[in-house]
Amino acid sequence: MTDRDGAVRLLWYLTSPDGPTPWEPAGRWPTDFGHLRELARAIDSLGYYGALLGTGRDDGLTVAAALLAETGRMRFLPAVYPGLHSPAKLAQIADTVQRFSGGRLLFNVVNGQDATLAGYGVHHPHDERYAFSAEYWDAYRRVHRGEHQEIRGTHLHLAERPDDEGPLSPWPNDPVPVPLWGAGTSPAGVAHSVGLLDTYLSFADTPERLGAKFARVGAQAEALGRRLEFGTRFQLIVRPTEEEAWAHAEELLHRTSHATAVELAGWNLRGRTLEGFRPEEFGIEDPRVERRLAALRAGRLPEVRDLEVHPNVWTGPSLFGFDVVSPASGTYLVGSAENVAARIREYRAHGVRNFILSGFPLIEEAHRTAELLFPLLDLDH
């Protein structure tokens, strides 16, 4: 892997369901393993750095392992919740996948919400989750390196493993490390991230604000003698012209029901109802936000350009995003190939090296993106 100034890594999204507008039942396709296999082959052959594996019904580690033989170069980034596997078992899984794939596994470290982890039987208060996670990943790395002495901590106890040919014995060859990617925005989350991760991720924001966040996190890592890379997540509408791109954005907005828009917007209202949310209480003085709220309260969707929060950066059917209270997972880059490439280079200048992209339908848009965008960027494969 190179570290050229200006070079970027572009990852795609490997998930089901799929479809033109999968956030709406009418725009969602039924998908199966055959569809995931076709999608993985496209991501691999087109030259994407790898793919984020969506969380949901399918287990990410299982999907990654199942698709190894269908691909030859792409990396797989499945989510891993600490505590769902023994760290020793996860080390065994990682060693197997790394050997069989030629080192194409990445881990997306997810500490999750309290309710999510509780559903899996893991119960830790918010800040304690990070203490447990740090201990978990330290134990995982020690086992994966081949250490076999007893590991005893506050949350974990692994007995000394026999130095024989058993499944938990030290690996016979030097293991290929699995890079750790992940996020964390709270003070406890950032402290956890800077001591553990190789690549720190954040939802999209304006280039300046995202760059400032990454600079703060990077400085904390450097104080520990560590150096992080940074990445973000965008949906994507790239077309030969601006007019075509924004016409498609408007079409996606019109295919979104008012009920879905209200539901998606609710994630960004800090627990308030649509009627009860007052932007001024959060120091937000943007007439576009007021227009969005007024449209939803009147039973309409906002105008497409009222959702543009930076040149070519669009909050999409999620409707609000970072101009209301926080970064949003549904943020889009929208525009001509030249303008989208310019935005990516702008984000790169603010420290973003890794871009996790998606557009629906996933296979069709993966091809379109590779055709239009790849020739305009310095790509790190």
Side-chain angles (χ1 to χ4, degrees), residues 220-267:
Q220 291 189 49
E222 289 174 4
L224 300 177
R226 306 191 70 245
R227 181 174 181 269
L228 296 177
E229 291 189 348
F230 298 97
T232 192
R233 169 89 173 89
F234 277 111
Q235 301 268 54
L236 189 67
I237 300 174
V238 60
R239 296 293 186 270
T241 68
E242 283 287 293
E243 292 75 16
E244 290 174 272
W246 285 105
H248 187 67
E250 189 162 18
E251 182 181 356
L252 291 186
L253 190 60
H254 289 163
R255 289 182 182 178
T256 302
S257 69
H258 180 264
T260 297
V262 170
E263 180 182 358
L264 292 172
W267 288 98

Side-chain angles (χ1 to χ4, degrees), residues 172-304:
N173 302 306
D174 291 335
V176 179
V178 179
L180 301 185
W181 296 35
T185 299
S186 69
V190 172
H192 171 266
S193 297
V194 299
L196 174 69
L197 300 178
D198 301 295
T199 297
Y200 179 82
L201 302 173
S202 175
F203 285 141
D205 205 322
T206 63
E208 294 81 6
R209 293 200 313 205
L210 193 60
K213 177 181 181 180
F214 287 161
R216 291 192 299 271
V217 173
Q220 291 189 49
E222 289 174 4
L224 300 177
R226 306 191 70 245
R227 181 174 181 269
L228 296 177
E229 291 189 348
F230 298 97
T232 192
R233 169 89 173 89
F234 277 111
Q235 301 268 54
L236 189 67
I237 300 174
V238 60
R239 296 293 186 270
T241 68
E242 283 287 293
E243 292 75 16
E244 290 174 272
W246 285 105
H248 187 67
E250 189 162 18
E251 182 181 356
L252 291 186
L253 190 60
H254 289 163
R255 289 182 182 178
T256 302
S257 69
H258 180 264
T260 297
V262 170
E263 180 182 358
L264 292 172
W267 288 98
N268 295 301
L269 299 181
R270 288 189 177 176
R272 307 293 178 86
T273 65
L274 183 64
E275 293 299 328
F277 183 78
R278 298 291 180 266
E280 63 273 11
E281 295 181 17
F282 303 99
I284 300 165
E285 297 180 0
D286 187 335
R288 294 171 301 175
V289 173
E290 293 290 354
R291 290 197 296 269
R292 297 175 209 171
L293 288 167
L296 282 184
R297 289 166 178 164
R300 298 179 285 104
L301 297 184
E303 296 296 323
V304 64

Side-chain angles (χ1 to χ4, degrees), residues 40-78:
R41 288 171 174 169
I43 294 168
D44 191 64
S45 64
L46 290 169
Y48 288 89
Y49 185 80
L52 172 68
L53 277 62
T55 57
R57 177 179 180 180
D58 299 321
D59 175 70
L61 287 170
T62 304
V63 172
L67 292 172
L68 290 181
E70 306 294 332
T71 57
R73 52 163 308 282
M74 65 175 285
R75 287 84 168 170
F76 292 89
L77 179 58

Side-chain angles (χ1 to χ4, degrees), residues 9-351:
R9 295 172 178 155
L10 302 186
L11 293 82
W12 201 246
Y13 195 35
L14 197 154
T15 189
S16 57
D18 197 355
T21 52
W23 53 90
E24 291 285 2
R28 187 182 308 149
W29 297 338
T31 53
D32 56 14
F33 179 65
H35 183 78
L36 289 176
R37 183 167 52 198
E38 184 180 355
L39 175 57
R41 288 171 174 169
I43 294 168
D44 191 64
S45 64
L46 290 169
Y48 288 89
Y49 185 80
L52 172 68
L53 277 62
T55 57
R57 177 179 180 180
D58 299 321
D59 175 70
L61 287 170
T62 304
V63 172
L67 292 172
L68 290 181
E70 306 294 332
T71 57
R73 52 163 308 282
M74 65 175 285
R75 287 84 168 170
F76 292 89
L77 179 58
V80 176
Y81 292 83
L84 301 192
H85 301 86
S86 157
K89 185 63 179 176
L90 184 66
Q92 184 186 28
I93 294 169
D95 179 70
T96 303
V97 174
Q98 289 295 70
R99 285 186 292 113
F100 290 4
S101 70
R104 294 191 284 128
L105 184 62
L106 313 168
F107 280 154
N108 180 18
V109 176
V110 181
N111 287 289
Q113 299 176 347
D114 295 331
T116 302
L117 288 173
Y120 285 119
V122 178
H123 302 272
H124 295 296
H126 180 275
D127 286 5
E128 190 176 329
R129 285 207 310 265
Y130 292 110
F132 168 74
S133 178
E135 190 173 299
Y136 177 93
W137 286 106
D138 177 67
Y140 154 81
R141 279 177 160 164
R142 289 168 64 182
V143 176
H144 192 248
R145 286 196 299 263
E147 298 179 22
H148 59 94
Q149 68 269 28
E150 180 183 37
I151 299 174
R152 185 183 291 273
T154 303
H155 302 280
L156 293 168
H157 178 208
L158 277 65
E160 182 174 343
R161 292 174 301 285
D163 189 7
D164 57 23
E165 295 302 316
L168 298 184
S169 63
W171 318 128
N173 302 306
D174 291 335
V176 179
V178 179
L180 301 185
W181 296 35
T185 299
S186 69
V190 172
H192 171 266
S193 297
V194 299
L196 174 69
L197 300 178
D198 301 295
T199 297
Y200 179 82
L201 302 173
S202 175
F203 285 141
D205 205 322
T206 63
E208 294 81 6
R209 293 200 313 205
L210 193 60
K213 177 181 181 180
F214 287 161
R216 291 192 299 271
V217 173
Q220 291 189 49
E222 289 174 4
L224 300 177
R226 306 191 70 245
R227 181 174 181 269
L228 296 177
E229 291 189 348
F230 298 97
T232 192
R233 169 89 173 89
F234 277 111
Q235 301 268 54
L236 189 67
I237 300 174
V238 60
R239 296 293 186 270
T241 68
E242 283 287 293
E243 292 75 16
E244 290 174 272
W246 285 105
H248 187 67
E250 189 162 18
E251 182 181 356
L252 291 186
L253 190 60
H254 289 163
R255 289 182 182 178
T256 302
S257 69
H258 180 264
T260 297
V262 170
E263 180 182 358
L264 292 172
W267 288 98
N268 295 301
L269 299 181
R270 288 189 177 176
R272 307 293 178 86
T273 65
L274 183 64
E275 293 299 328
F277 183 78
R278 298 291 180 266
E280 63 273 11
E281 295 181 17
F282 303 99
I284 300 165
E285 297 180 0
D286 187 335
R288 294 171 301 175
V289 173
E290 293 290 354
R291 290 197 296 269
R292 297 175 209 171
L293 288 167
L296 282 184
R297 289 166 178 164
R300 298 179 285 104
L301 297 184
E303 296 296 323
V304 64
R305 286 290 186 146
D306 274 346
L307 302 175
E308 188 179 18
V309 295
H310 183 79
N312 304 106
V313 180
W314 186 60
T315 64
S318 63
L319 297 184
F320 286 108
F322 48 77
D323 256 24
V324 173
V325 294
S326 64
S329 59
T331 304
Y332 283 70
L333 289 176
V334 180
S336 66
E338 290 77 10
N339 283 343
V340 169
R343 292 291 77 72
I344 288 177
R345 286 192 290 269
E346 183 180 7
Y347 278 98
R348 181 66 182 97
H350 286 275

